[in-house]
Amino acid sequence: MINFLLKGVLRDKIRSVLSLIVIFLGVMFSTIMVGFMAGIFNDFIRVNAILDAGHLKIMTRAYDELSDMAPNDLAIIGVDSIISDLEEKYPELYWTPRIKLGGLVDIPDENGETKNQSPAIGIGIDLLSPGSNQAELLGITKSLVRGRLPESFNEALLSEEFSQKLGVDPGDKITLLSSTMWGSFATYNFVLSGTLRFGIPAMDRSTLIVDIEGARLALDMDDASSEILGIFKDELYDEERSEEIKSDFLGRQEMSEFGLLMIALRDQNDIGLLMDRADIYIAFIIGIFVFLVVLVVWNFGLMNGLRRYGEIGIRLAMGETKGHVYRTLLIESSIIGVIGTVLGMMGGLSIVYYLQEVGIDYSDLLGEANMLISGVMRAQITPGTYYVGVVPGLFASLLGTALAGRGIYKRELSQLFKELET
Amino acid sequence: MGKIVVEVKGLIKDFPIADRLFRALKGITINIAEGEFMGIVGPSGSGKTTLLNIIGGLDSPTEGTVSVLGLSLIGKSNKELADLRKNGIGFIFQGYNLLPVYTVYENVEFPLLLLNVDSNKRDKMVREAIEWVDLSDKIKSKPAQLSGGESQRVAIARSIVKRPPLVIADELTANLDAKNSHRIMKILLGLNKEIGTTFIFATHDEKVMGYLSRIISIVDGKIESDKFFDRNELREKV
Ligand SMILES: Nc1ncnc2c1ncn2[C@@H]1O[C@H](COP(=O)(O)OP(=O)(O)O)[C@@H](O)[C@H]1O
Ligand SMILES: [Mg+2]
């Protein structure tokens, strides 16, 4: 009997090929969709982590309370030894100091008088120490608009937009007016080495980037930093591991005001919320897809049912029960469902894999490169991409057939035969 | 007269139409004996199909009793009725209703698959049935490649392949020309003679009536006459 059904499925091109294509496409698109969303989302997470949040971030407890104000008087002291300790204990992460410098950027004229002045958001990043990969990680080279990277700690980068507003070019002198870690007034002269484009307006408006040592000199923060960021070496956020490290680390800290606090990426801003939401969004999109595939398959089933009315009628006349006919329809659709799902998953995963490993470079379309948009469309194979296709593939095709097949039960047997007469 | 195969007593069938009932059969009583080659004749709408559907367990009576092959059909479940059809009854319809994706051979094989006949025996029975209807050269053809007459012969082979004691044929010649109609009736008469299958036809085709040894005519849901005919001369020839 199964043989007989198989023959039917294989020979009936509408039943086999067309249904297969519908399921194949549904499964493939769902898989790609999930992979693609995971890719975009993880890229977003990656950028956030590298730029500011880290996968893990260390501050003093007091600094955390007031972190919006970049209170460097509450900075971490003895950073070098803390970092070498972290590197030893948690070698799967890069550990790097960051200083946030609030203040004014002042552009002097040839007489030393203020020509232009504007508030800046400054970041001290470890650009120069041997072995630091921060410049590369942040993609600074790629996003240079003019000039070059700093080669010494008294050189600085500005966002391109900011440099134009201030009217400075690479080679010009810029002065940072701020306050030192100890509360006194600080002025420090940098030389502009180049300008950058970030790709987000908030950062393009007024960002100043200097080497960490330059920031330390400017704010009198010897061996200190506002924060220490930990970034997984594969650049992927491992939530479970970061929670482990966090509790391990916290277990060894004193609870005083200047004791160290470690927070995970998930704990910062609204990233945790966003991560949870992303799952919901993905589920939602898959839901829509599944719904559409169910509709298509259902319609297909109905059409098939109508087309096969004669067949169903004659089979009932020959003594098959309605239940048996119904079951064979379900078996047929599961056979097609399984094949379509497997093919669709293979197709979808190969495309996702390609997008993950190679990506589609659309930076030409973008015109200008910038730091936060990679210009390469990427996807990522996540556990979800493996099983998501099962839902539209098997579930939807079975549900569609089940719904369509109900017609068999609804219709009176005698009515079926009335229709067989002609 | 031999064993009674079909026994219908006081059969009434009402169909709901809009808000009232339409009485399609108004008290039918018939006995059909084993080996009969008989027909229900009457104008269109007289109730032939309704009667045959009830005898075939495809529809249920409103009143009266029906028993087929010794089984009373009153109050039987769908499963029991399906079993009766599977084991005991072959159907032939006006539309041939062959399964389009299967070959002649596979179409004829299907009822035996439902009966789980083992494959050697099945092959023998299928080939024999196809031989009866003289289609051995078309065994691998698909229904789309067959003429109307050939299709109906496949349908006949399919209905008799399991050697059912009873075959029900509703307007089986309605789509066929005279030559094919005669050919098919001869085949069926031959089978009736050879293996003793009981045939019940519903028809208003004169050509078919010429072969029947009993004709019950119904008009407007009632039996008008029940006549027997001597077809020995015809039977000799097939
Ligand atoms: N399912 C049904 N619902 C309502 N009326 C029906 C139904 N089946 C048959 N009838 C009516 O019963 C009468 C007999 O129909 P039928 O048995 O098909 O006649 P015949 O086969 O002799 O042409 C007709 O008037 C037909 O319209
Ligand atoms: Mg009729």
Side-chain angles (χ1 to χ4, degrees), chain A residues 168-181:
Chain A
V168 286
D169 298 312
D172 290 352
K173 198 160 100 179
I174 55 179
T175 306
L176 175 71
L177 309 178
S178 186
S179 58
T180 69
M181 186 174 173

Side-chain angles (χ1 to χ4, degrees), chain B residues 115-127:
Chain B
L115 287 168
N116 292 318
V117 177
D118 76 71
S119 67
N120 281 338
K121 192 166 168 211
R122 204 164 67 218
D123 182 62
K124 217 176 127 253
M125 291 170 84
V126 171
R127 287 176 191 282

Side-chain angles (χ1 to χ4, degrees), chain A residues 139-352:
Chain A
I140 291 181
T141 318
K142 193 185 62 159
S143 47
L144 266 179
V145 179
R146 293 186 289 157
R148 55 166 174 77
L149 258 57
E151 283 167 5
S152 80
F153 53 77
N154 59 8
E155 288 184 324
L157 294 164
L158 288 177
S159 57
E160 169 66 15
E161 194 185 320
F162 195 27
S163 77
Q164 290 191 1
K165 188 171 124 197
L166 293 170
V168 286
D169 298 312
D172 290 352
K173 198 160 100 179
I174 55 179
T175 306
L176 175 71
L177 309 178
S178 186
S179 58
T180 69
M181 186 174 173
W182 314 102
S184 52
F185 186 67
T187 65
Y188 195 83
N189 290 330
F190 291 100
V191 174
L192 184 64
S193 72
T195 63
L196 300 174
R197 178 171 292 110
F198 294 94
I200 43 173
M203 292 198 67
D204 279 323
R205 208 167 302 134
S206 57
T207 299
L208 165 77
I209 290 180
V210 297
D211 179 57
I212 189 88
E213 289 307 328
R216 281 173 172 161
L217 281 172
L219 304 189
D220 199 5
M221 290 178 69
D222 189 29
D223 199 17
S225 75
S226 318
E227 300 163 348
I228 297 169
L229 301 189
I231 297 164
F232 283 102
K233 288 185 174 163
D234 60 7
E235 296 173 36
L236 293 175
Y237 182 41
D238 182 341
E239 227 181 306
E240 217 173 300
R241 181 66 186 139
S242 57
E243 291 303 315
E244 273 171 33
I245 293 174
K246 192 170 86 181
S247 58
D248 180 57
F249 180 84
L250 288 176
R252 291 184 283 105
Q253 301 307 315
E254 37 178 310
M255 292 298 291
S256 74
E257 198 187 7
F258 285 92
L260 296 181
L261 183 69
M262 183 184 266
I263 59 177
L265 180 60
R266 185 171 238 299
D267 311 327
Q268 302 191 41
N269 303 323
D270 291 328
I271 290 177
L273 192 68
L274 214 113
M275 284 171 153
D276 297 336
R277 285 243 179 94
D279 290 344
I280 295 172
Y281 288 149
I282 291 178
F284 184 70
I285 287 183
I286 292 168
I288 290 178
F289 245 93
V290 170
F291 179 70
L292 289 179
V293 175
V294 169
L295 276 189
V296 171
V297 174
W298 180 8
N299 261 294
F300 238 81
L302 280 178
M303 268 162 50
N304 252 325
L306 288 180
R307 213 168 49 87
R308 296 172 70 189
Y309 221 69
E311 173 187 340
I312 289 167
I314 203 73
R315 283 168 60 179
L316 293 172
M318 283 191 284
E320 264 189 272
T321 56
K322 287 180 176 181
H324 190 266
V325 172
Y326 191 59
R327 279 196 298 280
T328 59
L329 291 183
L330 289 181
I331 291 173
E332 278 181 16
S333 72
S334 354
I335 294 171
I336 295 169
V338 168
I339 298 174
T341 303
V342 169
L343 292 179
M345 277 172 155
M346 279 166 30
L349 283 171
S350 340
I351 292 175
V352 172

